[in-house]
Amino acid sequence: MSSKSPASPYAAVFIDFENVYYFLKNHFHDPPDLNDYVLDIVRSLREQLAAKGLDSLISYAYADFERLATAPQGALYLMGVSTRNVLGTDHKNAADMQLCIDALEVMYTRPDIGTFVLVAGDRDYIPVLQHLRRQARQVLVAGFRESVSGDLLQNIGSASFIDARDLLGAERIEQLEKRRTDRLRLQEESRRLREQGLAGVPTAAALAARETAKGPQVGSIPSAIAPRPVVPAVPRPAPRTSEDVPDFAPVRPLARDIERRTLAFILNEFQKLEAKQQRRVPELWLGPFMRLLTDELPELPDYERRDLLNHLRDAGTIRIEKREGEPHPFSVIVVNYNHPDVQALHPGGD
């Protein structure tokens, strides 16, 4: 049996897309633009491999893509990554099995491939990794340390592990950690409210009841005149709270002309829809808009167009919200009409 030493400059990359996607979703409390985070990891990984002199001749990504909030297949294709749509089950991720089959097939049919990179972390991959190493292939594993099996790490050694946090970069990790901290704080607050006997009351109503229990504030009606209200047993439906609808990021001015150009294009699409529907349009579907933005900014690669929306969001000009829908969830763009750059481009907007 012929084998190739790890000195070969060619690599094959196998990405358990679902593994990374659902780790981000669960660990960081469902951040917006989940696909973009995974795509950034994949792109940064390929760049890091290239810096080591490894040419990723083969790149596969595995997921039941129909179950994801938005379809990343197009963006992966533009990066040179082929997608493998696998049907998941409630008991086992079918991507694991298909990934292992493909890795072994590449090993036996492509002796020129010297390095195998798995973006995954389940201990189920240990047998295939051991087999690859016995065939004198170099094996690297990339993933978030929290989601990578300790047994798998012990098998390959720390020198062969690539931390996904390093692939994302400090700024984006800081954003994710802040979101996680904020969500954990809200959960702790909800727990305390339940312990105070406010279980079953929506968060907004519970907070209002607790503020009332603190006593009168400056300028308020004395409690002797206005008795403390009783929280109804079955509260009326309340508007969505900050847990449901994310706030806009802190306002900062846009730094680049391309960002202002993209914002102007967003506002123009809102105006076109409003003129067509003869009513105010509160949100813009993200998927169709990204296709329009491709035609508007053809000089940019797909990931840079997506990064532009991230910069607009981080500057507080827009936010991106998820919506439940059939057959799949979808995302929308909401504009902050109080942002100075929005007002400059769209005077009189509300």
Side-chain angles (χ1 to χ4, degrees):
M1 180 187 305
S2 65
S3 61
K4 194 71 176 177
S5 84
S8 162
Y10 303 122
V13 182
F14 303 88
I15 305 153
D16 188 339
F17 198 95
E18 283 188 352
N19 179 283
V20 183
Y21 179 95
Y22 285 111
F23 170 79
L24 288 166
K25 181 180 180 69
N26 297 327
H27 187 74
F28 294 110
H29 297 264
D30 201 13
D33 306 323
L34 267 171
N35 284 333
D36 286 351
Y37 285 103
V38 188
L39 293 170
D40 283 347
I41 289 171
V42 174
R43 182 169 53 252
S44 182
L45 173 64
R46 288 165 61 87
E47 292 172 354
Q48 190 173 119
L49 293 174
K52 294 180 178 181
L54 293 172
D55 185 358
S56 302
L57 286 187
I58 296 174
S59 297
Y60 293 144
Y62 303 81
D64 186 350
F65 288 105
E66 294 180 358
R67 298 175 66 177
L68 304 185
T70 54
Q73 293 98 314
L76 287 167
Y77 169 79
L78 292 173
M79 282 195 290
V81 179
S82 301
T83 55
R84 295 284 193 269
N85 192 54
V86 291
L87 297 179
T89 70
D90 293 334
H91 305 289
K92 189 72 182 73
N93 180 4
D96 295 9
M97 183 176 297
Q98 187 62 55
L99 188 155
C100 291
I101 292 172
D102 287 350
L104 292 175
E105 181 181 5
V106 170
M107 186 199 72
Y108 285 119
T109 61
R110 295 294 302 270
D112 54 323
I113 302 291
T115 300
F116 286 69
V117 185
L118 271 68
V119 184
D122 297 347
R123 63 178 294 168
D124 297 342
Y125 291 115
I126 290 177
V128 73
L129 294 182
Q130 290 178 334
H131 189 72
L132 289 168
R133 297 184 70 183
R134 283 195 294 268
Q135 304 304 312
R137 301 311 207 275
Q138 176 177 233
V139 177
L140 303 175
V141 171
F144 287 95
R145 180 60 189 87
E146 300 94 325
S147 68
V148 175
S149 162
D151 293 331
L152 186 148
L153 272 181
Q154 183 179 6
N155 236 275
I156 64 166
S158 58
S160 297
F161 174 66
I162 301 171
D163 196 331
R165 291 174 180 269
D166 297 333
L167 296 174
L168 267 181
E171 182 179 351
R172 304 207 75 186
I173 288 294
E174 183 180 350
Q175 294 171 353
L176 288 171
E177 291 292 359
K178 181 180 184 304
R179 178 183 181 86
R180 174 176 167 80
T181 301
D182 291 345
R183 290 305 174 98
L184 290 175
R185 178 180 55 79
L186 288 171
Q187 288 179 1
E188 177 62 19
E189 180 71 8
S190 297
R191 183 189 65 78
R192 287 199 299 267
L193 291 173
R194 289 194 299 271
E195 290 178 353
Q196 294 170 13
L198 295 173
V201 179
T203 303
L207 289 173
R210 190 181 64 170
E211 289 300 315
T212 302
K214 289 180 180 178
Q217 306 296 317
V218 176
S220 64
I221 301 175
S223 58
I225 301 174
R228 184 181 301 171
V230 178
V231 177
V234 182
R236 292 175 296 174
R240 291 188 296 173
T241 68
S242 59
E243 284 190 68
D244 305 311
V245 180
D247 293 329
F248 293 105
V251 170
R252 65 169 176 77
L254 298 180
R256 299 182 296 159
D257 288 340
I258 191 65
E259 293 174 355
R260 286 185 284 271
R261 179 181 169 188
T262 305
L263 178 59
F265 186 64
I266 291 174
L267 296 173
N268 185 58
E269 288 304 310
F270 269 94
Q271 289 179 311
K272 286 164 61 176
L273 274 177
E274 289 171 350
K276 181 178 180 180
Q277 299 182 15
Q278 294 297 303
R279 65 179 181 87
R280 184 179 181 278
V281 175
E283 58 193 35
L284 192 66
W285 282 27
L286 179 61
F289 172 77
M290 290 304 297
R291 290 190 285 274
L292 295 173
L293 191 61
T294 300
D295 296 332
E296 177 69 13
L297 302 174
E299 69 275 17
L300 299 181
D302 180 73
Y303 78 90
E304 288 190 10
R305 289 190 290 268
R306 293 178 179 274
D307 280 347
L308 278 172
L309 260 65
N310 291 332
H311 290 314
L312 293 180
R313 182 191 62 205
D314 295 343
T317 63
I318 64 171
R319 67 171 179 252
I320 297 175
E321 297 182 16
K322 283 187 176 181
R323 295 282 185 270
E324 294 300 325
E326 292 295 337
H328 309 297
F330 58 94
S331 297
V332 298
I333 299 171
V334 180
V335 171
N336 180 7
Y337 288 100
N338 294 318
H339 192 286
D341 283 295
V342 174
Q343 293 179 345
L345 293 168
H346 185 53
D350 53 16

